[in-house]
Amino acid sequence: MKPYWCTLLVLAQAPALHGAAPRSAYRIETVAGSASLGDGSPATAAQLSSIQGIAADRWGNLYVSDTDNQRVRKISTTGVITTLAGTGTAGFSGDGGPAAAAQLNLPYGIAVDLAGYVYVADLGNNRVRRISPEGVIITIAGTGRKGTSSDGGAATEAALLSPRNVAVDAAGNLFICEFEGHRVRKVSPDGRIATAAGTGVAGYSGDGGPATLAQLAYPAGLAVDRSGALYIADSHNNRVRKILAGGSIATALGGSAATALVTPLAVAVDILGVIYTADSSNIVRAFTPAGKWTDFAGAAVLGFSGDGGPATKAQMTAVHDLAAGLNGSLYIADGVRVRAVDPSGRIQTVAGDGYLHAVGDGGAATAGLLFQPSAIALGFGNLYIADTGTQRIRQVLASGNISTRAGTGAAAASEDGVAAITASLNSPMGVAIDLSGNIVIADTLNHRIRQVSPGGVIRGVAGTGTAGIGTEGSPAAQTALRGPRAVCLDRAGVLYIADTANHRVLRAPTGDAVTTAAGNGSPGDAGDGGPARLAQLNQPSACALDSHGNLFIADTFSHRVRKVTPTGIMGTVAGTGDPGFGGDEGAATAALLSAPRGVAADDNGDLFIADTGNHRIRQVTPDGVIHTIAGQNDAGFAGDGGPAASAQLNSPSGLFLDGTGSLYLADTNNNRVRRLVPDSSFSTDPIAVTPVLTAVSAASLRQGPVAPGEIVTIFGPGIGPETGITGTFDSAELLANLLAGAEVRFDGVPAPLFYVQSSQINAQVPYTVATAGQTHLEVFYQGHSAGVLDLPVVAAAPAMFSIAINQDGSTNSPSSPAPRGTILTFFATGEGLTNGPNVSGQAARAPYPHPVLPVTLAIAGLNAELLYAGAIPGGVGVLQINARVPGGFVPTGPAAVELALGNLAAPPTTVWLK
């Protein structure tokens, strides 16, 4: 067999759970934070998250995409704010019903037509949705699948590729920018979709010719003027392009020193024809019909200031969108605020308190407001929260009331030796309580560790305030840090610092010199088994110590949890290094994690992990087995009062154990702190809470229908031998269907077996199921039935293995990315029937069969050239795909890979590009 085929067999053979000790199950509840964001009150006292879209109707009402709060908000002409659409929980639901009861997923661009219909680019759902004046929401473009579709069909049947911004003209034509598709689409009033601009390939070309033949690069903001001309913020071409009524395209701004732009994301046009645009400088500029190019709003320094004065003197935080009102005002989506520049040039905030005042201090914590809490700590009877988005450290008393212990709400640097509540912080992401009751803060973007005394005075304890990498051996206050995200203490009170952007963890004893606990300052994941100080970490963002002196590190972008022993040796205790989800009820070191940002350890040998990208809390028990104890695959907010295993979380991060078995977690994107409380009324026995047998794709580890020829993993008790046995080929090059006494039958037909063990079997679904809509699976061990399961059957159930091979033969990873234009090799299963003999268990030989269904594969949203898509030589049930990485403007770093067989899509995976 080929080496890669052997590797795939190993990937599909996660050890089964056997003989595990009883575990606690948990009830989940909220202890701080709420969804009360100011609705029904003046908009200037309301709370908004990152505002990515803004629009004004002809009556003077404003609409904003409150993106991270998963809502669309409306600001009336009287200044009162309400929620127009969205429940606050990311997802897709509600079409045909009230918009306020529907789920959105990252609402971005927004537009309003002359009749008062509101259009929302529901980016995370790859749809555009419309809200009627009566408040009913429907989808008018997009199927929900991220991809590209041809022109001429119904917009509701077309796939969209990252619909980011929208605009609508007086005739009712809707324009949608496909940010990663490098096109602008047009939906006519009859619901048909066509391309308005762009070829789908990133680049710059076409000025003076038809817009449909021109190249765009990551188009963002859109606007329509009174004549019907369409303006496009062509962000990576550093231009604003204009499409005239006849369909030709030209550069309106940018491309020359006279109107230079750098990554423009927003554009608006007022009734006088003045074009406004904002680029990465966060300065809004204006271009008049007379050709005058001026700074319109924003100073050179980022921040928040200037209300009531000239807009050109004001500081702005992050300009994401612009809208021109019929009253002559320009509205600016500035971070977490909406600001307006009136015709006289004065600027004022019209929505958003900026989390400066109305955050609920003095009241119940469960009614208070948090924004992006990152870390938590318990000490001396109180709960402390690093409330990153409000630039504060919050305290929840035993009485349940919340207050601020440090920070003013404004992101800034400030002096030491003053009352902490008068001192500014800048994105505090870590908090701990030392043995003396001092609050220790990772003041992340101030590049310092600071301490608040029990008397409320703040002082610096580590870091210089300037980003850098200090050498060990110096006092902590003289050791430069770069973006520290976490602090933790051992049982003796020694401080450890996750110096995140320097890829290391430092040890800083009080009064002694700083030393390196882990990480050599170079990003990576090497070094297991050797000295931790020489090993590599990749943006560690949380740490914890147990009573034995072991240091645990959430090594975020290595997608692992690492362990440093008291003798200084580095190891991995969870994660393979590849991002993804899988491995529950198996060895933690064979499981997949996704960007973990929280870790905690108890004295019983249990390790708890905030598996942030998977929206789960996972537990590694002393036997080394990993379990999900809270959260589901999808982000959301649900489950309070019930079993944590059925709850939904949204990007959980910091964790803290209270000593009684309860686990506190920062449910970051739900803007809450929640608690998992042991509850014996919920069982963790897999036999009690799951079917006798469970079947999942061996590649994605997800349950679902099966396809003929697919490799599946079957879990259940007592279905195989104590020691795992790997299948072998016989002289006819067929995999055995009876292995160590274990057998699997589909509708009575024996299945080829790759691997069997006491609680796990990997098998190929026989091709004989192809004509059935459902199949009856039965497992036998030692001649006795060990369980049954009925499964639906589909033509294809594609899923990709997490491994990808670079053109040079190396395994693709963050430390070994693929150059653009080179060939990557992927492996999948579940492709269904092929044009070959379709003999179950038969090793593929030339001529190698290909799937009957057409194969497509996209990398970073762009269709990749396929050089081969057929059976892996010498293998069984595995589809090998050789694809060329698109060139051009494909971004470096992690890129989504999307495989489809016909119209059946596989769960996306990730590769790394350079």
Side-chain angles (χ1 to χ4, degrees):
M1 292 190 295
K2 302 292 183 182
Y4 297 153
W5 171 242
C6 296
T7 301
L8 291 169
L9 278 175
V10 171
L11 283 175
Q13 292 170 10
L17 175 64
H18 176 70
R23 297 182 292 114
S24 294
Y26 295 89
R27 180 182 76 254
I28 191 168
E29 57 192 20
T30 293
V31 296
S34 73
S36 176
L37 299 174
D39 278 354
S41 300
T44 50
Q47 307 306 318
L48 299 164
S49 67
S50 180
I51 304 166
Q52 297 290 348
I54 187 168
D57 67 19
R58 62 192 182 98
W59 298 281
N61 301 295
L62 287 178
Y63 302 86
V64 299
S65 288
D66 193 359
T67 304
D68 291 338
N69 284 327
Q70 312 297 343
R71 291 174 165 92
V72 173
R73 316 279 291 273
K74 177 182 178 179
I75 304 160
S76 70
T77 55
T78 60
V80 174
I81 193 168
T82 54
T83 292
L84 179 67
T87 63
T89 299
F92 174 74
S93 69
D95 269 3
Q103 286 179 296
L104 307 174
N105 190 354
L106 297 179
Y108 251 66
I110 196 165
V112 190
D113 68 15
L114 296 176
Y117 286 86
V118 179
Y119 300 81
V120 183
D122 197 359
L123 177 66
N125 284 322
N126 288 296
R127 290 174 164 91
V128 175
R129 302 171 81 178
R130 185 180 71 189
I131 305 161
S132 71
E134 295 76 30
V136 176
I137 191 169
I138 61 171
T139 294
I140 62 166
T143 62
R145 184 175 73 85
K146 186 177 182 180
T148 58
S149 292
S150 57
D151 291 339
T156 52
E157 297 176 4
L160 299 176
L161 194 50
S162 301
R164 177 177 167 133
N165 290 78
V166 289
V168 62
D169 66 15
N173 296 298
L174 173 69
F175 299 93
I176 308 166
C177 78
E178 290 186 286
F179 185 69
E180 294 180 277
H182 314 293
R183 295 192 293 180
V184 175
R185 312 296 293 279
K186 175 183 175 181
V187 180
S188 56
D190 64 0
R192 314 302 285 183
I193 194 167
T195 296
T199 64
V201 178
Y204 171 70
S205 68
D207 274 2
T212 53
L213 301 180
Q215 285 180 293
L216 308 174
Y218 298 97
L222 298 173
V224 178
D225 69 14
R226 298 187 73 185
S227 70
L230 177 69
Y231 295 80
I232 306 166
D234 193 2
S235 66
H236 282 212
N237 283 322
N238 301 317
R239 287 169 161 82
V240 171
R241 314 278 288 275
K242 179 179 181 180
I243 303 176
L244 301 174
S248 64
I249 193 169
T251 292
L253 299 172
S256 70
T259 59
L261 296 169
V262 180
T263 319
L265 295 177
V267 62
V269 186
D270 69 14
I271 57 175
L272 301 177
V274 178
I275 307 170
Y276 303 89
T277 187
D279 63 9
S280 58
S281 68
N282 284 322
I283 294 176
V284 179
R285 296 181 174 88
F287 186 75
T288 68
K292 186 178 180 181
W293 174 250
T294 61
D295 288 353
F296 182 80
V301 179
L302 300 183
F304 171 70
S305 70
D307 273 1
T312 52
K313 303 285 188 183
Q315 291 179 323
M316 292 195 290
T317 305
V319 179
H320 293 140
D321 202 14
L322 303 170
L326 294 180
N327 61 359
S329 293
L330 181 74
Y331 298 95
I332 304 169
D334 183 19
V336 296
R337 299 175 176 86
V338 177
R339 304 175 80 179
V341 181
D342 67 21
S344 72
R346 298 280 169 175
I347 193 168
Q348 194 68 45
T349 295
V350 296
D353 171 71
Y355 296 88
L356 286 175
H357 306 293
V359 292
D361 277 353
T366 50
L369 292 179
L370 304 176
F371 185 39
Q372 303 284 303
S374 295
I376 47 186
L378 287 160
F380 297 87
N382 301 315
L383 172 69
Y384 298 87
I385 306 165
D387 196 14
T388 308
T390 74
Q391 312 296 339
R392 292 172 168 90
I393 300 297
R394 314 288 292 279
Q395 178 187 49
V396 181
L397 301 172
S399 65
N401 284 358
I402 193 168
S403 62
T404 293
R405 286 299 307 273
T408 62
S414 65
E415 63 182 2
D416 288 334
V418 299
I421 57 173
T422 68
S424 293
L425 307 174
N426 195 344
S427 297
M429 292 187 178
V431 64
I433 308 299
D434 71 14
L435 299 178
S436 301
N438 297 298
I439 306 170
V440 185
I441 305 165
D443 194 1
T444 304
L445 295 187
N446 279 328
H447 312 290
R448 301 178 73 198
I449 307 301
R450 303 173 81 182
Q451 183 185 89
V452 179
S453 70
V457 175
I458 195 168
R459 68 181 185 91
V461 295
T464 63
T466 300
I469 182 164
T471 57
E472 61 179 348
S474 300
Q478 298 174 21
T479 303
L481 308 173
R482 181 177 280 113
R485 289 194 171 199
V487 286
C488 57
L489 297 130
D490 67 16
R491 302 303 168 92
V494 174
L495 175 66
Y496 290 78
I497 302 166
D499 190 11
T500 304
N502 283 327
H503 313 290
R504 61 183 184 171
V505 175
L506 302 177
R507 184 176 186 271
T510 302
D512 287 338
V514 169
T515 58
T516 299
N520 62 15
S522 173
D525 58 9
D528 279 0
R533 56 183 290 107
L534 302 180
Q536 289 179 302
L537 301 173
N538 197 342
Q539 297 197 32
S541 58
C543 59
L545 292 108
D546 66 14
S547 58
H548 303 290
N550 295 298
L551 170 66
F552 297 93
I553 302 167
D555 195 8
T556 302
F557 288 106
S558 285
H559 309 287
R560 304 171 187 251
V561 173
R562 314 286 287 276
K563 173 183 173 181
V564 181
T565 68
T567 58
I569 301 302
M570 175 69 82
T572 292
V573 292
T576 65
D578 293 318
F581 174 74
D584 268 359
E585 311 310 322
T589 51
L592 297 178
L593 307 176
S594 180
R597 294 183 182 272
V599 64
D602 67 18
D603 290 336
N604 298 320
D606 295 295
L607 180 70
F608 298 87
I609 303 167
D611 192 1
T612 306
N614 287 321
H615 313 293
R616 296 170 180 253
I617 305 299
R618 301 173 81 178
Q619 177 188 18
V620 181
T621 44
D623 56 5
V625 174
I626 193 168
H627 322 266
T628 291
I629 60 172
Q632 305 289 321
N633 284 332
D634 299 320
F637 176 75
D640 271 4
S646 301
Q648 284 185 297
L649 311 175
N650 194 340
S651 300
S653 52
L655 302 177
F656 198 90
L657 287 159
D658 69 357
T660 68
S662 293
L663 178 71
Y664 290 74
L665 64 106
D667 195 359
T668 301
N669 284 351
N670 279 325
N671 299 320
R672 289 170 169 86
V673 171
R674 300 170 85 179
R675 177 171 58 195
L676 307 185
V677 181
D679 193 327
S680 60
S681 64
F682 305 124
S683 173
T684 63
D685 181 355
I687 300 174
V689 298
T690 61
V692 173
L693 296 180
T694 301
V696 300
S697 165
S700 68
L701 298 179
R702 295 189 182 186
Q703 297 185 51
V706 297
E710 178 186 4
I711 303 175
V712 295
T713 298
I714 303 161
F715 294 107
I719 59 176
E722 292 293 324
T723 302
I725 303 295
T726 300
T728 58
F729 290 97
D730 61 20
S731 59
E733 294 191 88
L734 293 174
L735 272 178
N737 50 41
L738 180 63
L739 188 59
E743 185 180 13
V744 179
R745 299 176 189 170
F746 287 80
D747 302 320
V749 177
L753 304 180
F754 299 96
Y755 178 84
V756 299
Q757 197 181 5
S758 58
S759 58
Q760 173 183 340
I761 297 177
N762 291 357
Q764 184 187 29
V765 178
Y767 286 104
T768 53
V769 307
T771 58
Q774 182 170 294
T775 184
H776 179 75
L777 179 158
E778 187 166 9
V779 175
F780 295 86
Y781 183 55
Q782 303 295 5
H784 301 285
S785 178
V788 297
L789 185 63
D790 290 316
L791 295 166
V793 177
V794 291
M800 300 179 70
F801 291 94
S802 59
I803 189 173
I805 306 300
N806 295 326
Q807 186 168 323
D808 63 4
S810 62
T811 300
N812 185 271
S813 68
S815 60
S816 183
R820 288 168 288 185
T822 61
I823 298 169
L824 273 170
T825 299
F826 301 94
F827 308 96
T829 190
E831 69 270 27
L833 293 175
T834 73
N835 63 357
N838 292 317
V839 175
S840 304
Q842 185 177 77
R845 48 180 178 256
Y848 300 112
H850 296 259
V852 171
L853 292 172
V855 180
T856 57
L857 186 134
I859 301 175
L862 299 177
N863 285 337
E865 176 190 0
L866 299 185
L867 290 82
Y868 177 80
I872 186 170
V876 174
V878 174
L879 174 68
Q880 176 176 323
I881 305 155
N882 299 342
R884 190 179 302 280
V885 178
F889 288 89
V890 175
T892 60
V897 180
E898 296 166 298
L899 170 69
L901 272 294
N903 62 357
L904 299 168
T909 60
T910 301
V911 294
W912 296 81
L913 306 179
K914 68 177 179 180

